[in-house]
Amino acid sequence: FQGAIAKQCLCGLETEVLLMSFQSYYVCSGNSPRGMHRQLLPMIEWPFEYLLKFLSNVQLLFDTYLKQNIKGNICSGVMDLCNYLVRTEHLHPDGEFIIGLCNYNNKFINYLSGRILSSFLIIVKDDLDDRWLEKIVANLFDFNQLDILAVKKVNFSLDVIQRIVEWKDETEHPLDEYIQGQEASSGSGGAGPSSSMTYHHHHHQAPVPPPPPPLENNYFAAHYSSQHYGGQTGTNSIFHPSSSSSSASIHPAPVVHHSNSSASLQAHHPYTSCHIISLTDSESFDTTRIKCETVNHLGKKWPALVEVVSRMIKALLTAIATETCILTFLRLWESIISVKANLSVVETQPFHAQLDHFQLLLLSTKNSVIYKQMLTLFNEALCYGSTLALQDFIPDEVGSLAHNVVRCVKDHRILDKMPKSTYTSPLGFLGYKGEIIRYHDNRLSSSSSGASSSNRAAATVITCGYDRTLMQKMALLVLKAVAVIVKEIRCDSSDSSVDSSDFDMQEIQMIERSIRDVVRKLETFLKVQLEFHPDNHFSKVLIHLFDDQDDYLVEAMVCTLDVTSGISFRNNAFPELIAILNPVYTFIEFSNLGPNITHLFLDLLISTETCFLLYLLRFLKYARQNWSMFTQSCLTNNVILDSVMTVLISLRLQISRQVADAIFPYNIGPILRLIENCESLYEGNELS
């Protein structure tokens, strides 16, 4: 079985051979008056090697099925065997068979059982039993005390849920892209002869999908030809209860669903003996339903789960299992609230509601790995560049989180309380027979030699400064929180239901002072840690901090730009904060990153990985509306205005050439017009 599944085809194997790889473990007893009695044991009581082989076979089969299902062409042998296995009760989550393995004292068994359970739920997504999801969620709280066994049980269910939520319905392997490129270059006649005849046979009927890709270009088909498969798949086996020739009997319900029986093409390729079934129903590939139902079941218990994980963090447990469980929980939380999850606001509301209280744990967390993942979670919640910057109103949960972040920086000195990086030794070797050799105090010493305990302690506990990635995430989080608060002020003051004649000017000034203090604290902290001179402008520090992370850098620039334009909407009432976050200085520093900066601008405009289009659009509008400030900032920063405008004009020319050749991917007209307006102001002409 394992040799055949590696070749992605089970058509040539006999039924008995396949069943031998998936036999359950029975024990026989002679105490029964009728003689020998066979009893099925729970999986957790199976012998280790037998259980490991069984789970490995199931996982290989499920993985192969899911990969082929995504592509829409499935080996009929794989489909039939998968149909048979999903009906066996010991794989169902509502029983104690597969889910009971979370208590098994072996990491390989735990990993395999979790993967099998998530794959099973994804496969039977259209015939889902609510009891299965309820059992998995209930397993998160099935313990009496929070010990290591309870932590492993929680991590097991979190792993299963995370894989379901993060499952992608469409994946593309680089080799597949290369093969498709070869097929495109060879023309449309690349399909095999049999599939070509099948396609032309329906030429005058209703349109049918294109034939499956030829197996001549498949690595496995090319290297393992039909002589490796002894015979044909039996049609009267346990996988085929009836001998009906209809296509519906070949693939029964839970695994795959077709809009009608004639919609599936079955092509027997002459190059191999693999019988491929092509799926045409788009719902066969859609896992949205199971994702939404999983999130809904989890959302009902989310506050209690947050409390459990908070207890783990506060307990300062150093076990690897605890750290792994906390990291899995944080990644799952991030995946659920992420924009990429495509979940509705109502579905994600229970998960946003717990963020502001959970954020306070940053003040007490000492584990740098967990701390970094928590910052990643909060940065995803304050998704300013991709979502919040484009919205008219800020959700209450997001606003509460932003205020908490600002309050922690201002009042609780969270920047100074970040955990510092620690490592065992600046240099180490693996010596003879696995002996660890340390380098400390200009000497090589063995960890098992007669070195003093103080030297060994000094070699194993070495503390350095703050991790650069940690500083990047924290700085971006603070800038996002400030931008969200400023946007809240603008939204409230522009609300028609509020009397804006004298809109709480004292409150706005108090918020502005808090924002100014927070930005100053962040500036001072970064200058000390990055060894900048105190007289350097904040923009230079930001560009240096984020110069290796394009997405962080662009989002930080959007934040500083929006804060400046937002806080000055009342006739530049707060010039001090505007001077600290001068967006023109930031653009100048960004323009000086390299000699071919216009090529970088063009790449960022085309790429979907950053919000550079939003930034450039808003910056050009800001420069056009505040042209005198723009030119004055260029002179103050000892930069000739000509060099800055040269970058913009060069960018306009490159974009215009691509637009003329019709190769620019979207309508870039607004950017071109704004650059032309700035050129007119630069040349001294009236703005048209």
Side-chain angles (χ1 to χ4, degrees):
F1 165 79
Q2 292 184 355
I5 200 66
K7 304 163 190 173
Q8 304 186 40
C9 177
L10 299 178
C11 290
L13 295 182
E14 297 293 336
T15 301
E16 294 77 9
V17 177
L18 293 176
L19 289 182
M20 285 290 294
S21 302
F22 298 95
Q23 284 186 344
S24 302
Y25 192 82
Y26 293 86
V27 293
C28 299
S29 60
N31 298 330
S32 174
R34 298 183 180 179
M36 298 295 293
H37 175 68
R38 296 180 65 200
Q39 179 183 1
L40 175 63
L41 288 181
M43 281 187 174
I44 199 170
E45 299 180 14
W46 292 10
F48 171 73
E49 292 186 359
Y50 193 94
L51 177 61
L52 185 63
K53 184 177 180 180
F54 176 85
L55 295 178
S56 300
N57 290 339
V58 175
Q59 179 57 22
L60 281 173
L61 176 67
F62 282 178
D63 273 356
T64 302
Y65 170 81
L66 288 173
K67 290 177 182 178
Q68 293 184 359
N69 184 76
I70 290 175
K71 297 180 181 298
N73 300 302
I74 306 180
C75 166
S76 61
V78 172
M79 176 180 288
D80 296 336
L81 182 57
C82 196
N83 274 320
Y84 168 73
L85 282 181
V86 298
R87 287 171 171 79
T88 57
E89 293 185 357
H90 54 276
L91 292 182
H92 289 188
D94 57 344
E96 292 297 331
F97 288 96
I98 187 71
I99 202 170
L101 294 178
C102 63
N103 296 321
Y104 203 95
N105 190 23
N106 183 274
K107 58 183 179 181
F108 299 107
I109 298 296
N110 298 145
Y111 173 78
L112 277 174
S113 54
R115 295 274 296 186
I116 289 172
L117 190 52
S118 58
S119 299
F120 171 85
L121 293 173
I122 294 172
I123 289 173
V124 299
K125 55 186 179 295
D126 294 323
D127 293 274
L128 197 63
D129 192 336
D130 287 342
R131 294 176 300 171
W132 298 343
L133 295 178
E134 291 174 359
K135 181 71 174 178
I136 295 174
V137 174
N139 192 59
L140 293 166
F141 309 97
D142 187 17
F143 55 86
N144 295 323
Q145 60 179 358
L146 194 58
D147 53 8
I148 293 299
L149 293 179
V151 168
K152 290 182 178 179
K153 183 176 291 188
V154 173
N155 186 65
F156 177 86
S157 289
L158 290 176
D159 264 332
V160 174
I161 297 173
Q162 182 184 12
R163 188 163 184 252
I164 294 174
V165 172
E166 295 181 352
W167 181 258
K168 295 182 179 180
D169 296 322
E170 296 180 5
T171 57
E172 191 90 0
H173 193 275
L175 290 180
D176 296 333
E177 296 176 357
Y178 173 73
I179 292 175
Q180 290 179 2
Q182 284 185 329
E183 292 176 357
S185 62
S186 62
S188 59
S194 60
S195 61
S196 177
M197 289 188 295
T198 305
Y199 182 74
H200 288 293
H201 177 71
H202 296 278
H203 180 71
H204 298 290
Q205 302 176 5
V208 298
L215 293 186
E216 289 81 353
N217 291 333
N218 184 287
Y219 171 83
F220 297 98
H223 288 74
Y224 305 101
S225 56
S226 59
Q227 64 263 24
H228 290 277
Y229 300 97
Q232 299 294 327
T233 304
T235 57
N236 293 322
S237 65
I238 62 170
F239 306 135
H240 300 274
S242 64
S243 58
S244 173
S245 60
S246 65
S247 61
S249 65
I250 296 180
H251 37 80
V255 175
V256 75
H257 301 269
H258 298 283
S259 55
N260 52 65
S261 59
S262 63
S264 64
L265 300 176
Q266 300 182 19
H268 187 79
H269 293 271
Y271 194 78
T272 68
S273 60
C274 183
H275 193 195
I276 292 181
I277 298 176
S278 298
L279 309 181
T280 59
D281 189 359
S282 60
E283 294 182 359
S284 301
F285 317 101
D286 189 11
T287 57
T288 303
R289 179 191 170 192
I290 185 174
K291 289 179 183 179
C292 294
E293 292 193 11
T294 304
V295 170
N296 290 335
H297 279 83
L298 185 61
K300 301 173 184 177
K301 300 289 185 179
W302 192 252
L305 183 59
V306 171
E307 180 61 28
V308 170
V309 177
S310 300
R311 286 164 53 194
M312 294 183 193
I313 297 176
K314 292 176 182 178
L316 301 177
L317 299 177
T318 57
I320 296 179
T322 306
E323 181 178 316
T324 303
C325 180
I326 296 173
L327 293 176
T328 304
F329 168 79
L330 294 174
R331 294 189 186 103
L332 172 61
W333 200 346
E334 177 191 354
S335 300
I336 292 175
I337 66 174
S338 173
V339 180
K340 299 177 182 178
N342 291 326
L343 297 173
S344 66
V345 177
V346 176
E347 290 169 332
T348 58
Q349 194 276 334
F351 303 93
H352 280 97
Q354 302 295 319
L355 285 168
D356 54 346
H357 300 293
F358 192 78
Q359 183 268 334
L360 298 176
L361 290 175
L362 286 175
L363 298 172
S364 58
T365 304
K366 301 300 180 185
N367 187 308
S368 59
V369 179
I370 295 177
Y371 197 96
K372 189 182 301 182
Q373 192 62 41
M374 291 173 68
L375 291 179
T376 304
L377 168 65
F378 299 137
N379 271 300
E380 184 62 42
L382 298 180
C383 48
Y384 191 80
S386 59
T387 306
L388 298 178
L390 304 173
Q391 293 180 351
D392 294 331
F393 296 98
I394 301 296
D396 294 337
E397 297 84 3
V398 175
S400 178
L401 175 61
H403 282 280
N404 267 7
V405 171
V406 169
R407 195 176 300 114
C408 286
V409 176
K410 179 177 177 290
D411 300 331
H412 301 290
R413 302 180 59 190
I414 192 175
L415 296 177
D416 298 325
K417 294 180 180 179
M418 285 196 305
K420 295 185 178 181
S421 299
T422 58
Y423 52 93
T424 56
S425 176
L427 185 61
F429 304 98
L430 194 62
Y432 181 61
K433 293 184 178 180
E435 186 181 24
I436 299 177
I437 307 297
R438 302 286 185 192
Y439 179 78
H440 183 65
D441 291 338
N442 298 322
R443 295 179 59 186
L444 290 174
S445 61
S446 171
S447 59
S448 61
S449 62
S452 64
S453 59
S454 61
N455 288 340
R456 286 199 298 270
T460 55
V461 182
I462 298 177
T463 303
C464 62
Y466 296 105
D467 182 74
R468 183 180 179 87
T469 305
L470 203 66
M471 289 193 294
Q472 288 176 337
K473 292 179 181 294
M474 176 58 80
L476 184 60
L477 179 63
V478 174
L479 291 176
K480 285 182 176 182
V482 171
V484 167
I485 294 176
V486 172
K487 191 173 183 63
E488 270 189 327
I489 297 175
R490 294 208 62 175
C491 292
D492 291 340
S493 62
S494 60
D495 189 358
S496 59
S497 63
V498 178
D499 185 9
S500 58
S501 59
D502 188 11
F503 177 77
D504 291 336
M505 199 60 187
Q506 292 183 350
E507 182 180 355
I508 293 182
Q509 290 177 347
M510 183 179 64
I511 295 176
E512 189 274 340
R513 283 194 295 268
S514 298
I515 292 175
R516 182 186 57 198
D517 293 342
V518 167
V519 173
R520 277 181 172 174
K521 288 179 182 293
L522 177 63
E523 179 185 20
T524 303
F525 173 79
L526 292 178
K527 285 182 178 179
V528 172
Q529 298 303 322
L530 300 177
E531 299 180 351
F532 271 83
H533 192 276
D535 292 338
N536 287 126
H537 194 267
F538 188 43
S539 59
K540 186 182 291 294
V541 181
L542 285 182
I543 298 299
H544 175 77
L545 176 64
F546 297 116
D547 59 359
D548 60 340
Q549 296 289 338
D550 290 345
D551 51 346
Y552 286 8
L553 175 59
V554 175
E555 194 166 16
M557 292 193 300
V558 171
C559 291
T560 56
L561 175 61
D562 283 3
V563 169
T564 305
S565 58
I567 208 69
S568 60
F569 72 101
R570 287 186 175 271
N571 300 321
N572 295 327
F574 311 108
E576 188 174 358
L577 181 60
I578 297 175
I580 298 175
L581 297 177
N582 191 326
V584 180
Y585 288 173
T586 308
F587 181 79
I588 293 172
E589 292 293 336
F590 186 50
S591 301
N592 292 332
L593 279 179
N596 297 320
I597 193 63
T598 53
H599 294 289
L600 175 61
F601 281 13
L602 195 60
D603 290 341
L604 292 176
L605 282 174
I606 296 175
S607 173
T608 59
E609 297 178 358
T610 69
C611 54
F612 188 71
L613 174 62
L614 173 66
Y615 168 75
L616 188 60
L617 185 68
R618 292 190 175 181
F619 175 77
L620 291 174
K621 288 182 179 179
Y622 180 84
R624 184 188 61 178
Q625 295 170 359
N626 303 273
W627 185 253
S628 59
M629 177 190 174
F630 178 80
T631 55
Q632 186 64 31
S633 298
C634 291
L635 298 176
T636 305
N637 207 42
N638 296 324
V639 175
I640 302 177
L641 181 61
D642 295 348
S643 62
V644 179
M645 291 305 302
T646 299
V647 172
L648 292 176
I649 295 173
S650 176
L651 177 64
R652 180 182 61 81
L653 294 176
Q654 291 193 34
I655 294 176
S656 299
R657 281 195 292 268
Q658 292 200 9
V659 170
D661 295 336
I663 59 176
F664 206 85
Y666 56 88
N667 180 18
I668 196 67
I671 295 289
L672 293 176
R673 288 192 294 271
L674 285 171
I675 296 179
E676 291 173 354
N677 290 339
C678 292
E679 284 186 60
S680 300
L681 292 172
Y682 170 64
E683 295 171 356
N685 298 330
E686 290 293 333
L687 181 61
S688 56

